[in-house]
Amino acid sequence: MNKKKIRTLLVMILTGLMLVACKPSDEKLAEANNARNTLVEYRGRAEQKYLDLTEESNRGKLDELSAQVEETLTVDFTKMSDKKIDEYLPTIRTLITEYEAIVGVMDKTYDSEEAERTEAAKHLEVECYVLNKMGVNITSLKLHDVTTDTLSDNLLGDGVVLTDGYTLMGVMLQVHADSSAWELVASDENGKEYAMPLEGLAGIGADGTSLTLKMNTETGEAEAQLGSYVKEEETKNSDEGAEGSSASEDAADSASSGVSG
């Protein structure tokens, strides 16, 4: 065999060895692909978790990580040696770790938001109208949740006086589903306060109710009674004094709810 043929054969052998040396082993190729698949899976998990949240502060970080994931998808492991793959794998593992961290943060945010949603669902808003048959003008009316010992804002609204014999429409009662006892706390123009146990509020539906305030003729105590919600013109005051009518209407004009006789 002449020297030229020998040189040609050696070049072919060396070229073949170089090509073999640049290709990864099956085990290393599988390891690289598995790592990248895991990274893509973590990205999908993080993006789905983000969609479950109302809080949006993680969007920037997720976009940054996703761009890096896209870069890893352009890498052709079949053209890398085992050594090159070993050098690149930490990049993928670091991204996986970052996704694990941000998913952990979003998990806590989700738990917090879910707890808030669960609590909010326990607060039922019931529309009602209030009939004042107490014989006094009411300047303040609050719902006291005895179970939680919390007091609502003035249900009448600022500056509204519920004149004796008049009806106030559009009052919203905030009813907590886990509570079992309530009372209404009313104040008249002279500053006298009336505490009235409110029976039947537990389990009340959201369709609305009427609320009648009156005096018990036998005990002389103020009482509050729930009734059906009737969307009709309410009973008019049998003794419509011009002063009372004017005062109630002026107050109603300055409030969102209406006071009618």
Side-chain angles (χ1 to χ4, degrees), residues 2 8 14 73 77 110 112 145 148 150 174 196:
N2 59 42
T8 301
L14 289 174
L73 295 178
F77 295 127
Y110 178 83
S112 177
D145 187 323
T148 61
T150 55
Q174 301 291 336
M196 298 167 275

Side-chain angles (χ1 to χ4, degrees), residues 9 24-26 64 69 93 104 113 119 151 171 177 180 228 230 244:
L9 181 60
S25 63
D26 291 341
E64 177 186 330
V69 173
R93 291 170 182 148
E113 290 186 353
E119 182 61 26
L151 196 65
V171 175
S180 58
S228 59
V230 181

Side-chain angles (χ1 to χ4, degrees), residues 98-155:
E98 290 192 56
Y99 269 119
E100 287 177 330
I102 197 169
V103 167
V105 171
M106 290 192 293
D107 278 340
K108 292 180 179 179
T109 302
Y110 178 83
D111 290 343
S112 177
E113 290 186 353
E114 184 65 15
E116 291 177 0
R117 285 189 290 267
T118 300
E119 182 61 26
K122 296 179 181 179
H123 292 268
L124 180 65
E125 191 171 62
V126 179
E127 182 177 2
C128 75
Y129 56 80
V130 183
L131 295 81
N132 181 10
K133 296 184 178 181
M134 292 179 60
V136 296
N137 298 332
I138 301 300
T139 59
S140 174
L141 184 65
K142 298 180 180 181
L143 179 64
H144 178 209
D145 187 323
V146 178
T147 304
T148 61
D149 194 24
T150 55
L151 196 65
S152 74
D153 294 332
N154 183 7
L155 299 175

